[in-house]
Amino acid sequence: MRLSTVILPIHRWAEGQKIWRRAEDLGFHAAYTYDHLSWRSFRDGPWFGAVPTLTAAATGTRSMRLGTLVTSPNFRHPVTLAKELITLDDISEGRVTLGIGAGGNGFDATTLLKGDEEPWTPRERADRFGEFVPLLDKLLREPAGATHEGRFYSAREARNVPGCAQRPRLPFAVAATGPRGLALAARYGQAWVTTGDPKLFEAGTPEQSAEAVSGQVAKLDKACAEAGRDSSELERILLTGFTPDFNPALPAPRRGRPLDSLEAFVDFAGRYAELGFTEIVVHWPVQDSVFAADQAVFERIATEAASRLG
């Protein structure tokens, strides 16, 4: 079991660089950031761009993997994103993972709309994602020039020489729970990402959450079988913070909430290790927010939990 973190892009770099370096010193396998224009309760505060932040992090760290959790078509185009990714992969010397998902109804989904345009429906987001991922895969695998004419995206001899530092391209970690997204994960992903079942956050139990995720795992296995792929080839990543275990409005689990103590976290993560998850991602503490946590406890989890989980 590997342990990684998400560092929100809310800090001016004079302060932010200290956090990314500290994450590496603590031994995190990877440090990710959100790729949004803004996000929920952080909308009215500082929020910096994901790719520039990761580029700066790449120059300030040595071996820790870096990535997005997640990038989506909400405000990205495959052609320009591919160019940024090959640059970032080069600067980081091949340490980048692209977390990618269909996107949701947040601020990203409406910022670029014209006055009379309606936000994309879930079906349209899935349609766009279904075209976005294969085209991005093609652009990163064919640096000499890729051409595509689709319903949503076009590329005409889009050149990305010299291509990714990682071959044949940098890895995709596909966030998905529905059948179409899971099919994309099975075909194009090197990893699969879930946050659990969002319907359970408000009123579910930790046991119900683990059962729901077990069902998602079964659907992933089925999608891989239908694609002719061994599902064990995909890393399985849980982005924490969105299951009932973390909801302060619900009764705390027996040992406390996952970031209350090392024992509580090991108990929580162990349930998901049993489901075959290979990486758990925790949010770097942000005080006075939904991601508040005791920094000392968090750092103890970072340094000791992985060895306890095997």
Side-chain angles (χ1 to χ4, degrees):
M1 174 69 75
R2 294 188 294 270
L3 189 59
S4 299
T5 190
V6 166
I7 301 171
L8 297 185
I10 60 175
H11 306 281
R12 292 189 180 277
W13 192 243
E15 182 63 27
Q17 62 183 312
K18 301 173 186 175
I19 297 175
W20 288 83
R21 289 170 180 155
R22 181 60 178 162
E24 182 167 62
D25 290 343
L26 289 170
F28 280 112
H29 165 70
Y32 303 97
T33 199
Y34 284 6
D35 189 15
H36 290 293
L37 298 175
S38 60
W39 192 80
R40 298 187 188 181
S41 60
F42 295 90
R43 184 181 187 182
D44 295 325
W47 190 277
F48 296 96
V51 173
T53 295
L54 290 169
T55 302
T59 64
T61 57
R62 303 173 300 279
S63 58
M64 180 175 64
R65 290 198 65 82
L66 308 166
T68 57
L69 277 183
V70 293
T71 293
S72 81
N74 272 355
F75 65 96
R76 295 290 188 183
H77 190 287
V79 171
T80 51
L81 178 60
K83 183 66 71 173
E84 292 183 344
L85 289 172
I86 66 162
T87 306
L88 178 57
D89 204 38
D90 177 70
I91 292 170
S92 69
E93 298 182 315
R95 291 188 282 135
V96 175
T97 295
L98 179 72
I100 187 168
N105 288 319
F107 308 122
D108 301 337
T110 57
T111 298
L112 300 181
L113 294 181
K114 296 179 181 178
D116 58 348
E117 283 186 297
E118 293 293 326
W120 301 340
T121 64
R123 180 171 183 173
E124 185 174 0
R125 287 198 300 271
D127 289 343
R128 287 177 177 270
F129 193 48
E131 188 177 328
F132 191 101
V133 174
L135 177 53
L136 186 60
D137 172 75
K138 183 176 184 178
L139 289 162
L140 294 174
R141 288 179 183 269
E142 301 177 13
T147 295
H148 171 83
E149 189 67 38
R151 178 183 173 192
F152 301 106
Y153 305 105
S154 298
R156 185 174 301 173
E157 296 183 11
R159 298 174 66 82
N160 287 300
V161 179
C164 295
Q166 301 172 87
R167 297 294 185 177
R169 60 154 168 77
L170 54 79
F172 289 177
V174 181
T177 55
R180 296 174 67 184
L182 290 170
L184 290 171
R187 181 171 179 184
Y188 296 100
Q190 284 64 58
W192 165 66
V193 182
T194 184
T195 58
D197 184 342
K199 296 189 296 294
L200 295 175
F201 181 75
E202 294 294 339
T205 66
E207 293 74 22
Q208 289 172 331
S209 179
E211 183 178 354
V213 171
S214 178
Q216 294 175 359
V217 170
K219 292 177 182 178
L220 175 67
D221 291 341
K222 180 181 178 183
C224 287
E226 292 173 348
R229 186 174 183 188
D230 183 349
S231 64
S232 67
E233 295 176 2
L234 272 74
E235 302 291 335
R236 301 179 185 195
I237 302 172
L238 177 68
L239 174 58
T240 66
F242 307 100
T243 61
D245 317 72
F246 289 83
N247 187 345
L250 296 177
R254 179 174 57 86
R255 288 193 172 182
R257 305 198 188 284
L259 297 184
D260 285 352
S261 68
L262 174 62
E263 294 302 326
F265 182 81
V266 170
D267 184 61
F268 163 80
R271 292 198 298 272
Y272 290 92
E274 291 175 358
L275 295 177
F277 280 83
T278 55
E279 185 175 346
I280 300 285
V281 185
V282 293
H283 290 82
W284 193 273
V286 181
Q287 303 311 322
D288 300 318
S289 81
V290 293
F291 301 126
D294 183 281
Q295 187 70 33
V297 173
F298 177 84
E299 295 199 3
R300 187 180 179 205
I301 290 169
T303 55
E304 299 181 37
S307 62
R308 294 277 297 275
L309 292 164

